[in-house]
Amino acid sequence: MKKIIISFLILAFVFACNENSTKNEILVKNSEELNTALKDSKAGDEIVLANGIWKDVEIKFRGKGSEGNPIVLRAETPGKVSIEGQSYLKFGGEYLVVEGLHFKNGFSPSNAVIDFKISHKDSLDEIANNCKVTNCVIEDFNKPKRDNSDLWVQFWGRHNELSNCYIAGKTNRGPTVRVSIAGVESIKNYHQIINNHFGPRPVKGGPSGETIQLGDSYTSMSPSHTLVANNLFEECNGEVEVISSKTNFNEFRNNVFYKSEGSLVTRHGNYVTIDGNYFIGDGVNENYGGIRIINTGHWVTNNYFYNLKGKSFRSPLAVMNGIPKSPLNRYNQVTDVVVAYNTYVNCSSPWQFGVGQNLAQSEVLPASEIRSARAIRTTVANNVIYNENGLENIVVENDKADGVLFKNNVVDNQGVDFKDFNGGIVEVDLELKQISDNIYLPIGIPNEMEAYNGFDFNTIESDLFGTSRKNNKIIGAVVGVDVTNPNILDKSKYGTTWYSNEVEAKEPTTHSVSNVEELQSKIDEAANGDIIALSEGVFNISKSIVVNKSITVQSQGNNKAELVYSGKADSPLFSLQPKGKLTINNVTLKGNNSNYAFASLKEGMSNHFGLTVSNSEISDFNYVLKVYKESFAERITFENTSLSNCENGLELSEETNDKGDYNTEYLTIDNCSFTNIKANVIDYYRGGYDESTIGGNLLVKNSTFTNCGAKEKNGILLNHYGIINVNITENTFKNNNVQFVSILWGAKNNSASDNTFTNSGTIKTEENLKMKLMY
């Protein structure tokens, strides 16, 4: 018997050696060599891309490796191979691995940057199975137009993996990563999205800006079984859904959501597990969200929520109302959900039920859009809440939470009374133990407060830190308090081995400019954050100044430098281009009545811009600001500035497709004067019935409007149709020839206060605006 075993081991060793001996390393230096190597590849081959820039390369990676001997396509040195221009990577086959590539300075001419499928028009698609992308970076690889939709990683097939990658900077329409399951070959896929660093995704200014989307609305009842685990989501702000789970049986484990303006959402599909995740805010920003629940059979366990101030859709826990007999692409009723063993520290409105209840809008919405179905057969148990400042409502009932069972939850609410739901939420005195900057554990839970043992609660086998819950009746996300710092924000634990998004802060350099000829050249030489200091005097400018970086232009001394622009009609003094974030301070700008002070590009705004104007004077332009379709700024601010004698003011109203898009997230006017601005004084538009975005923010404060709006065709001075958040306060309106200063949307967060009106019409509130349905 012993001899047989030895002989078997020898044969296994020989076989293994023979299999390993098939490995073949092939260095390729151009597209032709790459295509030849791919065509001839076999199990065990390693195709090595030579270091350098690979531009306009369309990689179709076909092949059949094996579990022990995949075919590998890798960089000669990880991070030293740049995929640029119009390029993509597509998989077709089995056991294929790609490592160490850097996608930048370009975009995909296809519908995806990385696609686990090679499509054919006249034959069957080549689907990838058991394939992997690892140790790669995709950054700012955006389509030239914001409305051009694509995906940066699109999954098909089964058992594919995205791991240890850094992905950031998507600004155009479409989720960053999507698991597509249309077709029997892609359901029950068991894909893995693990150990990645999803870096900042800027606010998109409309829907379809998720970081991860699992399935779509029309495959929403199909089984996926995708695992999303051990990822860092840092400032993923694209829209209200950081992750949109739209299929069945997905798992989200041990992820960190750090300062991300959105939530993990079970948008469609059932039976999702959300366990052991961290949701970290800053205690100020109300857009940082937690978990939003729709549909059936989810388990939300062992999660930690800290300093989240979001409300409604962005609450730490938001449980939505559904639509009776909902179509696939809308909102199904929440049923049979468990929320247990979670910990909430210093969170506003930690639990909201009936979110999205919209009965008040029934007069402008069809019955098929009315969310009236409350959550039923839902259990909230064994959770711990600590509030530094007591809350009036631990549970916010946008609609009655009468279908929810609350059991053995505790809260330190600093003595503020709250509804306890038949004793299901108990007031206790707790203290906080600091584990790290963002992890504080409530301690002091009374021994008699034991965990509620609901149906199948025995399957919750460990806590947030992986400690066993066996034979333990402690509630909250953590068993015990003698724990070590998990270092959840140590970025070296996520993403690649060779790339970091940490940038050392540097003091800005000031570049002095004394004449027109130097102005553009100094801006071109400057680094992001630098200052262009203008000497006193008049600068006569005949050609647009290009801004494609973060830069400040200001006067050197107390006296304002004066920029007089004589450029051709409809051209801007400052051309705000992708990544151009301009600050103007203490400067006078004058036009020739036919040109513009500031404008985005008409086409090619592949990335965001920004504008801040302070302590300045602007006059004699056709438009003060013209923002074209598919252009987006996170912030546009005018403060302590006068705008006078212009045909048009601030025009941000070209997103008229009514699909929820708009041109800026925050438009702020503070302590400004508008005099003799004939039309479009402020024109800020968002159309379409959509709640996937913040919805725009307009603040008009402490400003004066005099003799404005004479050519405003609709008779409204401040136009902000469809903008969700509007605050018009402490302003003076004098002799403006309009019927209305503003029409507020009463059903949303629109308000006006402490304004003074003289011969300027009134502010009207319209409770329900009729919006075009997008779905």
Side-chain angles (χ1 to χ4, degrees):
M1 182 67 181
K2 187 176 180 180
K3 290 182 178 179
I4 293 173
I5 293 172
I6 293 172
S7 298
F8 177 81
L9 292 173
I10 291 172
L11 285 172
F13 178 77
V14 170
F15 179 80
C17 289
N18 287 337
E19 189 174 39
N20 288 332
S21 68
T22 64
K23 288 188 181 298
N24 182 26
E25 189 174 291
I26 306 159
L27 179 66
V28 295
K29 298 180 179 179
N30 54 54
S31 295
E32 291 74 20
E33 293 180 2
L34 171 60
N35 291 332
T36 299
L38 291 173
K39 182 180 179 182
D40 297 336
S41 65
K42 57 186 180 298
D45 282 357
E46 287 195 2
I47 301 169
V48 180
L49 297 177
N51 290 346
I53 296 173
W54 290 68
K55 189 172 182 180
D56 299 333
V57 56
E58 299 179 357
I59 303 173
K60 295 181 178 179
F61 189 4
R62 296 180 172 92
K64 286 197 175 182
S66 63
E67 185 171 4
N69 261 337
I71 302 172
V72 177
L73 175 65
R74 65 174 178 84
E76 181 179 7
T77 304
K80 298 296 184 181
V81 172
S82 297
I83 309 297
E84 303 187 12
Q86 296 189 40
S87 300
Y88 60 66
L89 165 67
K90 297 181 183 290
F91 289 86
E94 298 179 357
Y95 295 104
L96 310 176
V97 177
V98 170
E99 299 178 7
L101 307 184
H102 192 173
F103 291 82
K104 63 179 182 179
N105 299 330
F107 65 94
S108 171
S110 178
N111 66 341
V113 179
I114 296 175
D115 203 347
F116 286 87
K117 179 175 76 171
I118 299 174
S119 298
H120 298 281
K121 291 183 179 179
D122 302 320
S123 59
L124 291 177
D125 294 337
E126 299 173 73
I127 302 293
N129 296 297
N130 299 293
C131 295
K132 178 166 68 172
V133 175
T134 190
N135 206 28
C136 292
V137 168
I138 310 176
E139 61 171 341
D140 297 338
F141 213 69
N142 291 297
K143 295 277 192 181
K145 292 187 176 183
R146 184 171 71 141
D147 286 355
N148 286 357
S149 181
D150 73 347
L151 307 159
W152 282 8
V153 181
Q154 181 165 218
F155 282 87
W156 300 91
R158 293 180 173 177
H159 298 286
N160 296 314
E161 178 181 309
L162 176 71
S163 61
N164 296 98
C165 291
Y166 177 78
I167 301 176
K170 194 171 195 293
T171 58
N172 64 304
R173 179 178 290 272
T176 307
V177 177
R178 175 188 284 162
V179 171
S180 297
I181 63 170
V184 294
E185 67 277 3
S186 294
I187 64 172
K188 296 183 180 178
N189 52 67
Y190 296 94
H191 297 314
Q192 295 193 37
I193 302 171
I194 55 175
N195 304 321
N196 301 288
H197 182 179
F198 292 97
R201 174 163 188 173
V203 176
K204 178 186 168 291
S208 195
E210 305 95 329
T211 296
I212 295 178
Q213 184 186 77
L214 305 183
D216 60 35
S217 297
Y218 300 99
T219 58
S220 64
M221 293 304 166
S222 301
S224 181
H225 297 277
T226 295
L227 173 65
V228 180
N230 304 312
N231 302 286
L232 172 61
F233 296 88
E234 179 188 15
E235 297 180 20
C236 294
N237 301 337
E239 59 148 90
V240 71
E241 298 179 8
V242 178
I243 296 179
S244 187
S245 180
K246 296 189 172 184
T247 44
N248 294 345
F249 305 112
N250 298 314
E251 298 183 29
F252 303 93
R253 297 186 183 273
N254 308 116
N255 301 287
V256 178
F257 297 83
Y258 180 64
K259 294 185 179 179
S260 289
E261 293 187 349
S263 302
L264 193 172
V265 182
T266 62
R267 180 63 181 86
H268 302 304
N270 305 316
Y271 314 115
V272 168
T273 298
I274 304 174
D275 182 81
N277 302 281
Y278 299 83
F279 298 85
I280 310 296
D282 65 355
V284 178
N285 190 330
E286 294 186 357
N287 295 323
Y288 298 149
I291 296 170
R292 179 154 55 97
I293 297 295
I294 305 132
N295 283 74
T296 291
H298 310 305
W299 283 66
V300 179
T301 56
N302 294 316
N303 300 288
Y304 175 79
F305 305 81
Y306 177 68
N307 257 357
L308 299 178
K309 300 304 177 183
K311 301 174 183 177
S312 188
F313 277 54
R314 288 176 168 82
S315 299
L317 177 72
V319 178
M320 290 197 67
N321 266 17
I323 298 170
K325 298 181 180 179
S326 175
L328 279 176
N329 67 331
R330 302 308 294 130
Y331 292 87
N332 279 306
Q333 185 178 21
V334 173
T335 72
D336 307 292
V337 167
V338 171
V339 179
Y341 294 108
N342 302 285
T343 294
Y344 303 79
V345 175
N346 290 334
C347 294
S348 299
S349 59
W351 297 332
Q352 286 215 15
F353 288 85
V355 170
Q357 183 270 107
N358 59 355
L359 290 170
Q361 295 176 268
S362 58
E363 65 183 63
V364 296
L365 293 175
S368 60
E369 280 295 318
I370 301 301
R371 295 188 287 263
S372 61
R374 301 193 290 266
I376 59 174
R377 300 191 303 274
T378 290
T379 301
V380 177
N382 305 336
N383 301 286
V384 176
I385 299 174
Y386 178 93
N387 296 315
E388 193 172 63
N389 298 307
L391 301 175
E392 182 178 344
N393 294 305
I394 303 302
V395 178
V396 176
E397 293 181 277
N398 301 278
D399 201 347
K400 290 182 180 179
D402 51 4
V404 182
L405 174 67
F406 293 89
K407 298 292 287 187
N408 294 29
N409 303 284
V410 302
V411 57
D412 187 338
N413 203 42
Q414 308 301 328
V416 177
D417 290 340
F418 58 89
K419 183 177 177 180
D420 69 359
F421 290 85
N422 298 317
I425 308 174
V426 178
E427 170 80 15
V428 296
D429 291 325
L430 302 173
E431 296 180 0
L432 292 182
K433 178 178 180 179
Q434 183 174 1
I435 306 302
S436 70
D437 287 344
N438 294 293
I439 301 177
Y440 292 79
L441 299 181
I443 60 174
I445 300 169
N447 292 330
E448 62 270 19
M449 180 55 70
E450 293 187 350
Y452 169 71
N453 187 22
F455 179 76
D456 256 1
F457 275 36
N458 60 298
T459 62
I460 308 172
E461 296 181 344
S462 58
D463 74 350
L464 175 66
F465 297 142
T467 303
S468 174
R469 288 193 180 276
K470 189 175 181 180
N471 300 322
N472 198 306
K473 296 184 179 180
I474 294 176
I475 67 175
V478 178
V479 173
V481 294
D482 295 325
V483 296
T484 57
N485 182 1
N487 295 311
I488 59 171
L489 295 180
D490 177 0
K491 294 181 182 180
S492 67
K493 296 170 63 175
Y494 315 93
T496 70
T497 59
W498 53 269
Y499 181 92
S500 172
N501 71 342
E502 295 288 340
V503 177
E504 284 189 25
K506 77 172 191 69
E507 290 295 318
T509 299
T510 298
H511 306 263
S512 296
V513 172
S514 58
N515 57 65
V516 171
E517 289 72 22
E518 291 181 325
L519 182 53
Q520 184 69 67
S521 63
K522 291 293 186 181
I523 290 175
D524 293 342
E525 292 171 12
N528 276 311
D530 282 358
I531 297 169
I532 305 298
L534 305 176
S535 61
E536 184 177 347
V538 177
F539 292 74
N540 291 300
I541 299 170
S542 59
K543 184 178 179 182
S544 293
I545 299 167
V546 173
V547 179
N548 54 16
K549 64 188 68 171
S550 295
I551 204 81
T552 295
V553 176
Q554 64 184 34
S555 299
Q556 278 186 350
N558 293 326
N559 294 328
K560 292 182 175 68
E562 184 174 319
L563 305 186
V564 178
Y565 184 51
S566 60
K568 63 183 181 181
D570 302 329
S571 71
L573 169 56
F574 287 98
S575 175
L576 303 172
Q577 302 195 2
K579 297 188 178 182
K581 296 184 179 180
L582 173 65
T583 297
I584 294 285
N585 182 42
N586 195 38
V587 177
T588 295
L589 308 179
K590 289 187 178 180
N592 64 6
N593 297 304
S594 68
N595 49 30
Y596 308 160
F598 310 97
S600 64
L601 294 177
K602 290 184 179 180
E603 292 186 347
M605 289 298 290
S606 61
N607 215 304
H608 295 353
F609 73 96
L611 177 64
T612 297
V613 181
S614 58
N615 307 306
S616 295
E617 298 173 5
I618 303 172
S619 65
D620 303 303
F621 287 96
N622 185 356
Y623 280 88
V624 175
L625 172 64
K626 177 72 170 176
V627 179
Y628 291 99
K629 182 175 174 56
E630 299 187 83
S631 300
F632 186 77
E634 289 191 53
R635 293 183 182 274
I636 294 175
T637 301
F638 286 78
E639 55 190 6
N640 306 318
T641 291
S642 68
L643 300 84
S644 62
N645 301 321
C646 295
E647 287 294 314
N648 298 276
L650 314 179
E651 204 266 329
L652 305 98
S653 61
E654 291 208 358
E655 297 295 356
T656 55
N657 55 15
D658 289 348
K659 292 184 177 180
D661 294 324
Y662 45 102
N663 290 122
T664 186
E665 197 61 61
Y666 296 93
L667 176 58
T668 300
I669 312 298
D670 188 2
N671 194 34
C672 292
S673 65
F674 290 72
T675 305
N676 195 28
I677 308 296
K678 296 182 178 63
N680 297 302
V681 179
I682 295 174
D683 196 356
Y684 181 19
Y685 180 87
R686 169 188 175 273
Y689 180 69
D690 170 61
E691 292 169 308
S692 294
T693 54
I694 298 171
N697 297 265
L698 172 63
L699 173 64
V700 182
K701 180 181 180 182
N702 195 31
S703 295
T704 301
F705 297 80
T706 306
N707 296 325
C708 293
K711 293 184 179 180
E712 191 60 75
K713 293 180 181 179
N714 66 4
I716 303 172
L717 187 69
L718 308 181
N719 287 274
H720 45 79
Y721 185 93
I723 301 301
I724 299 296
N725 304 293
V726 175
N727 186 8
I728 301 172
T729 184
E730 300 176 10
N731 303 289
T732 299
F733 299 94
K734 297 188 297 185
N735 300 324
N736 299 291
N737 187 22
V738 294
Q739 183 178 4
F740 298 108
V741 166
S742 163
I743 296 180
L744 302 177
W745 190 358
K748 299 299 180 182
N749 187 30
N750 284 203
S751 66
S753 61
D754 301 320
N755 298 293
T756 302
F757 306 90
T758 303
N759 299 325
S760 296
T762 60
I763 291 181
K764 174 185 174 182
T765 297
E766 192 169 307
E767 191 62 29
N768 291 312
L769 294 182
K770 190 172 181 61
M771 304 287 285
K772 180 179 178 181
L773 292 179
M774 296 166 49
Y775 307 103

